[in-house]
Amino acid sequence: MTDSEQDAFQFFDSQNSRGKALKPHDLLKSYHLREMVRDPEQLKIRLISDWEDMDQNALKDLFRNYLYPVIRWVKNRDGLHYSSDKIQYFKGIKQSNTFNYSIYHKASNIFIEQFNTSGSSELLSSGELNQFQLTQPIIAGKRFFAWTLHYSVLLEQVKSKIDDFHTKKEVPGKRTGDIYIKQLYEATLLFYADRFGFETIDESVMHQLYTWCYSLRLRMKAIYPQTINKYAIGQHDRINLGKDLFSIMSEMNDPQELKSIFLESVEESDLQSSSYKAIYELMKQWNGW
């Protein structure tokens, strides 16, 4: 750890001056640190240290394969090719922004922080209020770091939920296409948990989201990032055309609405590989195909 804020920034910036291009998440770190003009030096130094202690590959994966695609798919837009050129989606509302919409979001964050630290949740016998939503803007500065940690933890909870609920045969991960499908499944659960709460993920939710994701695997012999992207925004004509699930979920007011989404059935003759026969049989049993 450095002894001063200036030393900390010099250490950080020197990585780029040595010819090593900074990763998108590190550029975001730098941006949000510079937005912390009213925060104490020690807080900035601690955030730099905490950030450097995190698994950098996991951070890269979090933004590239989950957060960026989801916030784009929710708006029915392309979620591919996350890079340093697209970090503006995570810069959020600047501290200097005083327009009506920004004041509303800033006030919401301040209220929740004060509520959670005041002991009010204990008094009301409730848990802490959730401060973040993927469909809402980030407040630039220190809250970006809390936001990133929040979704890092939530993603790990989702992955653990999948591991506990499914056998390895139900979520294969050896082939590249299988990995893409599994990431899509994790992303759908991440967004569902973000909107309605992790505790609302029950068996019926797992069945519905799994069916939506793995129906694509059954119908397609090869899966590429472009395949996933097209399917996520409801534009894949092989199955569930128009079922842009992220956008649909973003407009739901109650998790029970998920059950009303009609998904196309898959016939055994549709299978592109016998390797997925067990997955087909599982989905057939769940959905009464």
Side-chain angles (χ1 to χ4, degrees):
M1 180 180 293
T2 55
D3 294 328
S4 70
E5 179 187 1
Q6 184 62 35
D7 288 342
F9 279 114
Q10 286 178 352
F11 172 76
F12 172 71
D13 289 337
S14 69
Q15 297 177 72
N16 201 28
S17 65
R18 289 197 297 267
K20 183 178 180 181
L22 293 174
K23 295 181 175 63
H25 59 271
D26 279 325
L27 291 172
L28 284 168
K29 175 182 73 171
S30 180
Y31 174 83
H32 287 284
L33 283 170
R34 296 182 195 284
E35 278 290 302
M36 295 172 61
V37 292
R38 298 186 183 91
D39 293 296
E41 175 181 324
Q42 288 303 314
L43 174 59
K44 300 174 188 178
I45 294 172
R46 179 176 64 79
L47 289 175
I48 291 174
S49 179
D50 290 346
W51 186 273
E52 296 299 333
D53 287 341
M54 295 178 73
D55 184 329
Q56 298 301 298
N57 287 328
L59 272 176
K60 177 182 177 182
D61 185 59
L62 175 67
F63 281 93
R64 182 184 62 185
N65 294 324
Y66 300 97
L67 299 180
Y68 177 72
V70 168
I71 65 171
R72 297 290 288 167
W73 291 339
V74 163
K75 297 181 178 180
N76 212 257
R77 295 176 182 171
D78 190 332
L80 293 175
H81 311 305
Y82 178 63
S83 67
S84 299
D85 295 332
K86 297 178 179 178
I87 63 172
Q88 70 269 22
Y89 295 104
F90 301 104
K91 287 186 174 181
I93 297 173
K94 293 176 68 68
Q95 295 295 318
S96 58
N97 190 326
T98 57
F99 294 115
N100 286 353
Y101 81 95
S102 66
I103 294 297
Y104 170 82
H105 288 293
K106 288 179 182 180
S108 297
N109 273 263
I110 292 171
F111 171 79
I112 291 174
E113 288 166 355
Q114 291 178 344
F115 180 91
N116 288 340
T117 58
S118 67
S120 298
S121 59
E122 181 180 351
L123 183 64
L124 298 176
S125 299
S126 65
E128 290 190 350
L129 298 181
N130 177 53
Q131 186 174 352
F132 306 112
Q133 288 273 279
L134 287 171
T135 52
Q136 301 299 317
I138 301 166
I139 306 300
K142 63 184 179 182
R143 292 175 181 86
F144 165 77
F145 298 94
W147 182 90
T148 301
L149 178 61
H150 169 78
Y151 285 108
S152 176
V153 171
L154 185 58
L155 179 59
E156 289 307 309
Q157 289 179 312
V158 163
K159 289 182 177 181
S160 294
K161 181 79 173 180
I162 291 173
D163 289 342
D164 292 341
F165 189 84
H166 293 283
T167 66
K168 290 185 178 180
K169 288 184 178 180
E170 292 169 2
V171 283
K174 290 185 178 180
R175 300 177 182 177
T176 303
D178 293 339
I179 294 172
Y180 293 146
I181 291 289
K182 186 177 181 182
Q183 287 175 340
L184 176 64
Y185 185 33
E186 291 164 346
T188 58
L189 280 166
L190 177 72
F191 184 64
Y192 179 91
D194 179 61
R195 185 158 185 84
F196 298 114
F198 182 79
E199 68 282 356
T200 68
I201 300 177
D202 59 17
E203 187 177 82
S204 66
V205 171
M206 300 290 284
H207 287 184
Q208 184 79 330
L209 298 184
Y210 180 93
T211 298
W212 180 75
C213 294
Y214 281 85
S215 291
L216 181 65
R217 174 72 279 184
L218 298 183
R219 282 282 184 95
M220 299 295 294
K221 188 171 184 178
I223 300 287
Y224 303 100
Q226 294 86 347
T227 315
I228 297 293
N229 186 68
K230 199 172 182 180
Y231 187 64
I233 57 178
Q235 295 181 5
H236 207 293
D237 57 8
R238 291 295 293 273
I239 192 167
N240 292 321
L241 181 65
K243 296 296 192 304
D244 46 341
L245 196 58
F246 290 91
S247 179
I248 292 171
M249 285 196 292
S250 74
E251 296 179 356
M252 290 181 182
N253 295 314
D254 190 295
Q256 294 299 315
E257 294 177 44
L258 186 67
K259 298 177 182 179
S260 66
I261 299 175
F262 175 77
L263 300 176
E264 293 180 36
S265 61
V266 178
E267 301 296 332
E268 189 169 353
S269 58
D270 295 326
L271 298 186
Q272 296 299 304
S273 172
S274 59
S275 301
Y276 304 109
K277 180 71 179 297
I279 291 177
Y280 166 74
E281 292 295 342
L282 178 68
M283 290 164 58
K284 180 181 178 181
Q285 176 188 340
W286 284 351
N287 297 285
W289 292 342

